[in-house]
Amino acid sequence: MTSAMPTDTPMPTVPHPNAGQAISAARRALVRQYKDSRLPAGVFTLTNQSNGRVFVGGSLNLDGAMNRLRFELNLRSHRNKPLQLDWIAYGAQCFSFAVVDRIKERDDPLFDYRAELDSLLALWREEIPCHGDSGYNGVQP
């Protein structure tokens, strides 16, 4: 018996000898671009829609900070007890996140993003009522 290869089976393709190098170079370029890019930094608010109380925070990684805040509150492990108690009492659906200010990316490699964030955070904590009964940021310094 002769066994012949069926005609409907596709023939295996042989990759181009330089295909792996091209993919590696493209991947390296993407990784380099990602590492060189700066994450969005700035000031955000978490507002309780039921009672109007506000938490004002800031981070050099806004998305990560809001994600961490939500995660800690859902685990009931956030260090801000009044905020944690309201999160439990009112539920996550009564809270809204908003970015109120972003730090613009600078070409200067020596630019101090942390100092800029601290300044912005102080300004926004003065502007937005977030202390005492109006907020979750404790007593005003």
Side-chain angles (χ1 to χ4, degrees), residues 34-42 59-64 102-105 113:
Y34 172 76
K35 286 182 178 180
D36 290 344
S37 68
R38 191 157 266 297
L39 296 170
S59 176
L60 294 174
N61 177 356
L62 283 170
D63 296 332
R102 290 182 188 263
I103 298 175
K104 291 175 183 56
E105 203 170 320
Y113 285 92

Side-chain angles (χ1 to χ4, degrees), residues 54-119:
V54 179
F55 176 78
V56 178
S59 176
L60 294 174
N61 177 356
L62 283 170
D63 296 332
M66 290 188 286
N67 187 36
R68 183 183 66 245
L69 184 61
R70 189 179 297 110
F71 181 77
E72 289 175 350
L73 288 166
N74 285 332
L75 280 180
R76 297 179 176 207
S77 65
H78 197 272
R79 59 197 164 277
N80 185 316
K81 294 306 171 199
L83 175 58
Q84 182 67 70
L85 291 172
D86 279 359
W87 185 272
I88 294 167
Y90 294 101
Q93 69 280 357
C94 288
F95 287 84
S96 63
F97 287 93
V99 175
V100 293
D101 204 351
R102 290 182 188 263
I103 298 175
K104 291 175 183 56
E105 203 170 320
R106 305 293 201 288
D107 291 333
D108 180 9
L110 300 177
F111 182 74
D112 190 355
Y113 285 92
R114 170 55 64 190
E116 180 73 7
L117 177 63
D118 291 343
S119 311

Side-chain angles (χ1 to χ4, degrees), residues 53-54 125-126 128-141:
R53 292 182 78 184
V54 179
R125 284 185 173 162
E126 286 178 19
I128 298 172
C130 62
H131 300 284
D133 292 338
S134 328
Y136 298 107
N137 288 94
V139 290
Q140 192 160 5

Side-chain angles (χ1 to χ4, degrees), residues 25-61:
R27 185 173 188 275
R28 280 193 303 274
L30 286 172
V31 168
R32 185 175 29 256
Q33 180 184 0
Y34 172 76
K35 286 182 178 180
D36 290 344
S37 68
R38 191 157 266 297
L39 296 170
V43 178
F44 66 91
T45 59
L46 175 63
T47 305
N48 184 333
Q49 301 299 323
S50 296
N51 62 17
R53 292 182 78 184
V54 179
F55 176 78
V56 178
S59 176
L60 294 174
N61 177 356

